Amino acid sequence: MRTIAVLVAVLAATACASPTVAELEGRRSGANAPARPLTPPGVTDVLADARTRVDENLNGRNGFTPPSNPSPAVREGGTIAFVAADLTNGGINTVSQGVTEAAAAIGWQVVLFDGKGSAQGRADALNQAIALRPAGIVLGGFDATEQAATIKQAGVPVVGWHAGPEPGRIPHAGVFTNVTTDPLEVAWLAAAYAVAESGGSAGVVVLTDSQYEIAVRKAQAMRAYVELCSGCAVLSYEDSPIADADARMPSLVSSLLQRNGDRLGYLLGVNGNYFGAAKSALRDAGRPGAGPPFSIAAGDGDAAEFQRIRTGDYQAATVAEPMLLHGWQLVDELNRAVAGRDPSGFVAKPALITKRSVPSGAVFDPQSGYREIYRKVWGKS
């Protein structure tokens, strides 16, 4: 299951009339906006908060150790279905690898179904998964509300990755639990990096995709955090589909550069795919790969993002999730559901990835020993 000084305009990528945030949320029937505030509690000096938030995350790597209470594997030889929103998305693909790895450890097989980036594709993939009669289903990277009626009729336990705006159960959509980092913490960390690096003077554009409730929630939180900074400005809030980034971002970025000039210091997106697609427009405009503008993603942290950060190729930072760990957790949660137990309640931390902290490999994979912990939990060590 990484965006963000502050004036807000929500502009559709099609140049149609701008929807409000309430209108964006209204497009997802049955989903209620979480009651949590969009800004961290008790922040009186946002620049100090931003610097502390960034320093503590870069200098520490706690928060990646799952619960170790036994939850033995309840069956072997079963098949589970992984229904992906779009397997070309690096984050979703990495989570599917983690699920496959963990399933092998617990004694299950995994069949992948690709929604190919469209609502109809996701509906078709989910129906194909149900027809397989698996032991359980994992939703990979799309709002469960969209397919709630089908999920409720699946007849097997369903868990999700980025299937809703918060970790935990999604009762209205029939999802046993949603595995994700806390999206507000992800958003605040991405926004804090912009505030801290600019010394409290960031001019920001926020990029989101209103198809996904979690994306809207992150974007709202990034905008709200930057708005705490009196010397910063959110220049605009752009709604553009992640799946269409390659087609839409070059013209959108060209327009943003023309409209904002040197005021545009930071692009904060809910997904790193925006920035790979933005490179050509920034390059054509003579903007250096090392910025400005500086591109920061609030999830997920994939190989392409790491390479751009590593080489200074039009991305400065991302807020990475431990996606392989999430894959193992999804299998654990599904095992708990099959066994009639409660969800684990575990919520892993996000990690700020900059040139200073970028992994040498293709994924952020915390060295917390989580694989061995899960094997022991399942009685497989």
Side-chain angles (χ1 to χ4, degrees), residues 61-114:
R61 281 291 181 262
N62 298 318
F64 304 108
T65 304
S68 56
N69 336 344
S71 182
V74 294
R75 68 172 69 176
E76 291 191 6
T79 297
I80 62 173
F82 186 94
V83 181
D86 183 355
L87 279 173
T88 66
N89 179 289
I92 296 170
N93 191 276
T94 300
V95 172
S96 75
Q97 293 172 27
V99 168
T100 301
E101 184 183 277
I106 203 173
W108 295 344
Q109 294 182 330
V110 180
V111 179
L112 303 180
F113 296 88
D114 189 359

Side-chain angles (χ1 to χ4, degrees), residues 8 14 44 107 116 133 173 185 205 235 239 261 268 282 286 295 338 369:
V8 180
T14 57
T44 55
K116 298 181 179 179
R133 298 184 181 278
E185 292 292 341
V205 167
L235 304 172
D239 177 23
L268 278 79
L282 292 167
S295 297
V338 170

Side-chain angles (χ1 to χ4, degrees), residues 280-300:
S280 61
L282 292 167
R283 190 181 297 115
D284 291 347
R287 297 302 181 100
F294 303 97
S295 297
I296 305 166
D300 309 313

Side-chain angles (χ1 to χ4, degrees), residues 207 245-246 249-250 253 267 273-283 295 314:
L207 301 164
D246 287 344
M249 282 302 294
V253 169
L267 294 168
N273 282 6
Y274 288 127
F275 305 133
K279 286 179 9 176
S280 61
L282 292 167
R283 190 181 297 115
S295 297
Y314 296 97

